[in-house]
Amino acid sequence: MSDNKDNAVNAMDLMSLCKRRGFIWPSFEIYGGVAGMYDYGPLGCTLRNNIVDTWRAIYKGREGFIEIDSETVNPREVFKASGHVDEFADYITYCTKCQSPFRADHMVKQYFENPDILSPKELEDAFVKYGVKCPECGGDLGPVDEFNLMFKTNIGPGSSRVGYMRPETAQGIFVNYQNLYRYNREKMPMGVIQTGRGYRNEIAPRQGMIRMREFNMMEVELFVDPDDKDWPRFKDIENKTIDLVPNTGIGTVTTTVGKAVEDGIIANRVLAYFVYTTRQLLVRLGVDPKRLRFRQHDKDEMAHYAADCWDAEALLSYGWTEITGIADRGCWDLSRHAQFSGQDLTHFRRFDEPKEMEVEKVKAKHKALGPEFKGKAKDIAAAMETKTPADVKDGKLVISVDGEEIVLDDRFFEVATVREKVAGDRVIPHVIEPSHGLDRIFYTVLEHAYSHDDAEDYTVLRLRPEVAPIKVGVFPLMEKDGLDDLARSIYESVHSHRVEAYYDGAGTIGKRYARMDEVGTPWCITVDYDSMPGGQSEGTVTIRDRDSKDQRRVKIADVPAIVDRLIAGAPFSEL
């Protein structure tokens, strides 16, 4: 018997079930398919949407974050600022014999704990040292080169405006910072969420839904004051335990969230809070807590601008696999976009009381402006003094007066230090980013729920009721004598946008139970002859629990309320 607790799930068996029962289908299959691309079927769409709804319930409901939906095609300037144009690449190698492409670090992953930090030379040396050959034909592997993973396109006819399909949704939040900041009444902290598709031209996707070329994300960008990395609800979770794998090489540590911050394992309280929030979300969705850990990025793996980064990793048939990343990204993102766009992407941090401080200001040289600009001098001076020293680039200041752009050199302005009372100062917010791979979470939920009894050849998906695509199966014992009419009326009373029910009148009751168990339906209702007028239990039906196989007799009139209670978490044994 292979059971979800044994971690003995065969990925091919699970993907076969997903295809057969309408969770996931390979894309373009009638044309031979494309590696790394999948379509969600009817049950898959519902399960995926239920996962997103649970994520929203935490971030929009509990935390009060706001949501946007931004474009998937972005101009080149966005990804030049973010670093993706120059840095978003994997290492590729080609077989010298059959020319098949391979991701170079994946070819040596059995020899290194973290092969994606190896240089091209180190990867090439590893091919020789370990005798790594082409898995297709046995040929030698060639030189290792960089391969940019973004899909490139043109915006509009011709090639005048280069664009890219976004490799993440985050940049759409960063470039909308000014709009979001105004909407949020210029207050910090400010949490923003977005779900949508990203695109990465993966070199050789070979792990089903774990590595896809078009994928779904649930991303969170929390903008915080760089000097205040606390969180109001931290006290609610500081004594909760969590399994951490720090980058110090000491292995897995089970500790409390508060102790992890106190001991310097996690950089700050707000990051720790959302590391634990990620754990709450994943366990609520059905990820097995015994097969879930949080691994800190190694020092040579961590982005140079990041204060701290953690990956939520689930143990799958593929091994430990990242399904969510939680990072303190510092001020990198907004600083880069401010630099490349020339826009103010700061937060005005208001003091409790005005302070007298020395500040640097741009001051107009009125005696020089008058003779040069005549009647415009006054407007130019006013425009200049709205600028900050940061606006001075290469000794020049660019202003706009009546729609005309004017470039001024230091003959017309100076940067002076003055003492004045100020109400606050400007800071670039730091970003805490929990980034959830929706497709990977979707697959993890399925694999951790999958249970197959080899002796009986019986499969059960033990999905959590909150995410199960079908909540209730409704069956007539037989499709005659009015049993079917009564069953359909019960189905209609239960089925709604929130509770997906399924009517099934074909085959034996046992086979119908098996069909529902295989797709994770938590409860099934059966209408029998005792339910009918004159029956021994008139006005009642049998409801069966998937996991315990227990059955209860309940009143038909109570069925919708009972289903609501069960979905809300009421124990079946208390019916």
Side-chain angles (χ1 to χ4, degrees):
M1 175 178 178
S2 82
D3 187 270
N4 61 325
K5 294 180 181 177
D6 298 330
N7 188 37
V9 175
N10 184 309
M12 291 183 64
D13 289 345
L14 178 55
M15 291 303 285
S16 175
L17 180 151
C18 287
K19 180 181 177 182
R20 178 165 43 83
R21 297 308 308 268
F23 284 95
I24 286 292
W25 297 319
S27 300
F28 320 114
E29 193 170 23
I30 64 171
Y31 291 104
V34 178
M37 292 188 174
Y38 292 89
D39 296 333
Y40 281 86
L43 293 184
C45 279
T46 305
L47 173 57
R48 183 192 64 188
N49 293 343
N50 291 344
I51 291 171
V52 173
D53 287 345
T54 305
W55 170 76
R56 281 198 180 103
I58 289 176
Y59 283 100
K60 288 190 74 174
R62 188 181 80 187
E63 302 298 339
F65 290 3
I66 54 182
E67 183 173 7
I68 69 166
D69 184 9
S70 64
E71 290 286 348
T72 58
V73 177
N74 288 215
R76 181 180 184 274
E77 295 89 335
V78 171
F79 297 121
K80 184 67 177 174
S82 69
H84 286 85
V85 170
D86 299 320
E87 303 293 339
F88 192 65
D90 282 337
Y91 289 130
I92 189 171
T93 182
Y94 292 88
C95 173
T96 58
K97 184 177 179 182
C98 70
Q99 300 304 309
S100 294
F102 301 97
R103 182 167 157 176
D105 58 316
H106 285 184
M107 301 302 290
V108 297
K109 62 184 179 182
Q110 64 267 46
Y111 306 110
F112 298 90
E113 186 174 342
N114 198 7
D116 59 349
I117 65 173
L118 300 177
S119 69
K121 178 67 166 59
E122 289 170 327
L123 287 165
E124 291 168 2
D125 291 345
F127 295 162
V128 176
K129 179 179 178 179
Y130 298 106
V132 180
K133 301 292 184 181
C134 170
E136 303 292 335
C137 72
D140 292 334
L141 298 178
V144 174
D145 296 309
E146 281 194 344
F147 178 79
N148 193 286
L149 298 176
M150 287 195 295
F151 286 99
K152 189 175 182 180
T153 187
N154 295 319
I155 300 174
S159 58
S160 59
R161 194 78 189 269
V162 174
Y164 292 93
M165 304 292 285
R166 66 184 183 190
E168 61 182 21
T169 66
Q171 300 307 317
I173 296 175
F174 299 139
V175 299
N176 272 299
Y177 172 79
Q178 290 179 328
N179 297 321
L180 290 161
Y181 185 56
R182 283 192 294 269
Y183 176 85
N184 206 49
R185 299 175 62 189
E186 301 185 354
K187 294 179 181 178
M188 290 286 148
M190 177 176 73
V192 186
I193 69 172
Q194 180 172 201
T195 182
R197 297 221 165 183
Y199 307 84
R200 300 185 184 186
N201 196 11
E202 295 284 356
I203 294 168
R206 290 184 172 86
Q207 290 181 303
M209 296 189 71
I210 300 304
R211 196 160 298 279
M212 296 169 65
R213 288 184 165 124
E214 181 177 351
F215 52 93
N216 296 275
M217 291 168 290
M218 304 181 295
E219 291 201 294
V220 181
E221 308 299 334
L222 173 61
F223 300 92
V224 300
D225 184 325
D227 297 324
D228 183 10
K229 292 191 175 178
D230 202 348
W231 196 251
R233 293 186 184 85
F234 184 79
K235 62 182 182 301
D236 296 340
I237 56 95
E238 63 180 328
N239 294 319
K240 302 292 186 181
T241 58
I242 189 169
D243 292 332
L244 302 174
V245 184
N247 60 17
T248 54
I250 61 174
T252 301
V253 174
T254 301
T255 185
T256 66
V257 179
K259 193 79 164 54
V261 177
E262 183 182 320
D263 293 345
I265 299 173
I266 301 179
N268 52 67
R269 287 160 68 102
V270 66
L271 181 64
Y273 178 85
F274 285 100
V275 167
Y276 192 79
T277 294
T278 299
R279 185 188 186 279
Q280 289 177 317
L281 169 66
L282 295 175
V283 172
R284 179 172 165 180
L285 293 173
V287 176
D288 181 358
K290 295 179 180 177
R291 288 183 278 169
L292 176 65
R293 70 182 187 185
F294 289 83
R295 184 185 67 84
Q296 187 177 33
H297 282 205
D298 291 336
K299 290 179 172 60
D300 52 5
E301 177 189 11
M302 200 176 299
H304 65 87
Y305 51 79
D308 200 4
C309 295
W310 292 83
D311 286 344
E313 295 183 335
L315 184 57
L316 301 174
S317 52
Y318 300 106
W320 285 105
T321 303
E322 175 197 351
I323 58 176
T324 296
I326 312 99
D328 181 339
R329 297 175 60 89
C331 65
W332 166 262
D333 302 288
L334 292 182
S335 296
R336 292 280 292 184
H337 284 297
Q339 174 189 343
F340 279 76
S341 69
Q343 299 296 309
D344 179 11
L345 302 181
T346 61
H347 160 57
F348 184 72
R349 184 167 53 183
R350 193 170 295 279
F351 300 145
D352 293 336
E353 293 182 3
K355 298 178 182 180
E356 189 170 286
M357 301 175 63
E358 285 191 348
V359 295
E360 288 190 326
K361 303 195 75 172
V362 175
K363 305 289 288 184
K365 294 181 178 178
H366 295 278
K367 290 183 179 179
L369 285 171
E372 181 75 17
F373 294 101
K374 307 290 192 288
K376 287 187 177 181
K378 185 176 180 181
D379 291 339
I380 290 173
M384 289 170 60
E385 294 188 0
T386 65
K387 299 292 184 177
T388 69
D391 296 317
V392 179
K393 309 292 184 186
D394 299 323
K396 292 183 171 59
L397 191 65
V398 180
I399 63 168
S400 179
V401 175
D402 296 331
E404 178 187 358
E405 188 175 273
I406 301 171
V407 180
L408 303 165
D409 59 31
D410 58 9
R411 291 175 297 160
F412 305 105
F413 70 89
E414 63 178 338
V415 176
T417 300
V418 299
R419 288 192 68 82
E420 61 179 30
K421 279 195 171 183
V422 294
D425 61 356
R426 290 201 166 272
V427 294
I428 299 176
H430 284 198
V431 172
I432 306 298
E433 181 189 68
S435 179
H436 307 79
L438 175 51
D439 308 293
R440 291 186 177 198
I441 292 172
F442 174 97
Y443 179 81
T444 301
V445 167
L446 286 172
E447 185 168 307
H448 283 195
Y450 182 88
S451 175
H452 182 77
D453 188 318
D454 291 332
E456 297 185 10
D457 192 22
Y458 197 92
T459 298
V460 180
L461 280 183
R462 302 187 191 280
L463 294 171
R464 294 289 180 93
E466 187 173 13
V467 299
I470 300 172
K471 312 297 188 194
V472 185
V474 183
F475 314 144
L477 184 64
M478 304 181 73
E479 283 203 302
K480 63 179 184 179
D481 300 332
L483 297 175
D484 50 347
D485 294 333
L486 181 54
R488 287 188 185 279
S489 70
I490 294 171
Y491 161 81
E492 289 172 1
S493 73
V494 173
H495 184 71
S496 68
H497 71 283
R498 194 175 73 83
V499 178
E500 183 104 1
Y502 187 85
Y503 175 90
D504 188 355
T508 65
I509 287 294
K511 286 184 177 179
R512 283 180 261 175
Y513 282 152
R515 286 196 287 266
M516 289 291 95
D517 288 349
E518 192 177 46
V519 298
T521 304
W523 308 287
C524 292
I525 293 169
T526 301
V527 176
D528 55 25
Y529 284 101
D530 286 341
S531 307
M532 303 298 289
Q536 290 185 356
S537 303
E538 180 180 343
T540 67
V541 290
T542 299
I543 183 167
R544 167 193 181 264
D545 180 64
R546 178 196 65 206
D547 295 336
S548 67
K549 303 294 190 291
D550 288 347
Q551 297 188 19
R552 296 283 189 278
R553 201 86 192 178
V554 298
K555 293 180 180 179
I556 293 172
D558 294 341
V559 165
I562 287 171
V563 171
D564 283 344
R565 283 171 50 208
L566 289 171
I567 293 173
F572 187 84
S573 59
E574 294 182 4
L575 292 185

